[in-house]
Amino acid sequence: MALPKIEVPTFEVEIPGIDKKIKCRPFLVKEDKILILGNESGELKDKVAACQQVVENCTFGEVDIKSLAMYQLQLLFIKIKSKSIGDILNFVLSCGGCDTKINYDMNINDFKVMGSVDKNTETIKLNDETGMVLKYPNAEVQSSSSELSDLDLISKCIDHIYSGEEIVKPEEVSNEELVEWIENLPLTAIENINKFFENVPVIGHTVEFTCKKCEQPSKVIINGYEHFFV
């Protein structure tokens, strides 16, 4: 007798910056194992890699996981997680006055995108004919950003460079050539690039509470990447 096949429910999720609703399923035991292994090292990039694998599994391969910005990956992950283990996550918050630790139960669905998601790219004009189009760093790049130089981070976020009708994609040149090209940009261009990175959307939630010990009101913004991949 063959083992019975267990039907798994599916649901749809809408993610900013993606033009279609994404069909998903909840985590299974095999995805839980992936997450446990990804968390063992304590390294963010390992957690993100595990999350990418889980999201890819649970979206039936319909999403280009490597292209997702961090906020898109986080949002997909927490939507799937809420359907897998429930909506409530436990956080430990610290009072800003006396440092008392406070347990806080939060509904996953209270997480919101903080920042503009009207577009995922930004055009940086260098002159009337030449410029570059930046894209938000994908989750893999953002999770490794502490290991990258500023110039390498910029190079990994270039969608294309244009001059008149000619377009150059980053994969068409070496990274060394790309970094050297960035080194020769005017300072005004770097200022605009920095503004672009400052406005990259994040997933977060603001918690306001009054400490029961010192009675001081506090505000905590939960938006660290580590909060989402456990």
Side-chain angles (χ1 to χ4, degrees):
M1 177 179 175
L3 293 172
K5 184 176 181 180
I6 301 173
E7 294 295 330
V8 179
T10 61
F11 55 96
E12 290 187 331
V13 175
E14 192 169 351
I15 300 296
I18 298 177
D19 295 331
K20 64 176 182 178
K21 290 185 177 180
I22 301 165
K23 182 181 178 182
C24 306
R25 66 162 173 79
F27 299 164
L28 303 177
V29 172
K30 57 186 176 182
E31 278 83 43
D32 192 48
K33 289 176 66 177
I34 292 171
L35 293 174
I36 290 171
L37 289 173
N39 276 288
E40 282 184 350
S41 72
E43 296 289 332
L44 176 60
K45 61 183 179 180
D46 293 333
K47 295 179 182 181
V48 169
C51 179
Q52 287 177 314
Q53 182 61 63
V54 166
V55 170
E56 185 171 35
N57 291 358
C58 294
T59 55
F60 305 97
E62 291 186 0
V63 180
D64 181 5
I65 299 299
K66 297 293 185 181
S67 70
L68 293 179
M70 182 71 87
Y71 81 92
Q72 293 172 320
L73 179 66
Q74 289 174 318
L75 194 54
L76 257 175
F77 181 76
I78 61 178
K79 293 293 185 183
I80 295 171
K81 186 172 185 175
S82 71
K83 296 291 186 180
S84 305
I85 62 171
D87 294 333
I88 304 302
L89 289 179
N90 179 260
F91 291 88
V92 178
L93 308 179
S94 295
C95 170
C98 64
D99 204 34
T100 296
K101 304 302 179 185
I102 299 168
N103 289 321
Y104 176 72
D105 291 332
M106 197 189 91
N107 192 307
I108 289 178
N109 297 304
D110 288 340
F111 282 117
K112 304 296 181 185
V113 179
M114 305 171 75
S116 174
V117 293
D118 293 337
K119 55 183 180 178
N120 288 321
T121 60
E122 181 75 25
T123 299
I124 308 294
K125 291 185 177 181
L126 304 177
N127 55 46
D128 291 340
E129 292 289 321
T130 306
M132 60 195 297
V133 176
L134 293 176
K135 59 187 178 182
Y136 289 143
N138 64 27
E140 187 174 350
V141 168
Q142 200 160 347
S143 66
S144 302
S145 59
S146 62
E147 303 171 7
L148 300 172
S149 69
D150 291 344
L151 298 183
D152 281 327
L153 178 60
I154 294 170
S155 73
K156 291 182 181 298
C157 295
I158 294 176
D159 184 77
H160 65 270
I161 298 164
Y162 65 88
S163 182
E165 297 295 322
E166 184 180 358
I167 290 178
V168 179
K169 302 288 283 185
E171 57 267 26
E172 296 172 349
V173 297
S174 69
N175 190 65
E176 290 76 14
E177 290 177 283
L178 201 55
V179 168
E180 183 179 356
W181 183 82
I182 296 169
E183 286 179 325
N184 287 288
L185 291 177
L187 291 179
T188 53
I190 296 299
E191 289 175 3
N192 290 329
I193 291 170
N194 288 337
K195 289 179 183 177
F196 171 75
F197 283 114
E198 289 170 3
N199 293 316
V200 172
V202 297
I203 301 294
H205 175 64
T206 301
V207 182
E208 296 186 31
F209 63 94
T210 299
C211 178
K212 293 182 179 179
K213 183 177 181 180
C214 70
E215 299 184 347
Q216 176 172 312
S218 295
K219 178 187 289 187
V220 176
I221 298 176
I222 302 174
N223 65 358
Y225 303 135
E226 69 276 3
H227 294 137
F228 300 93
F229 304 126
V230 295

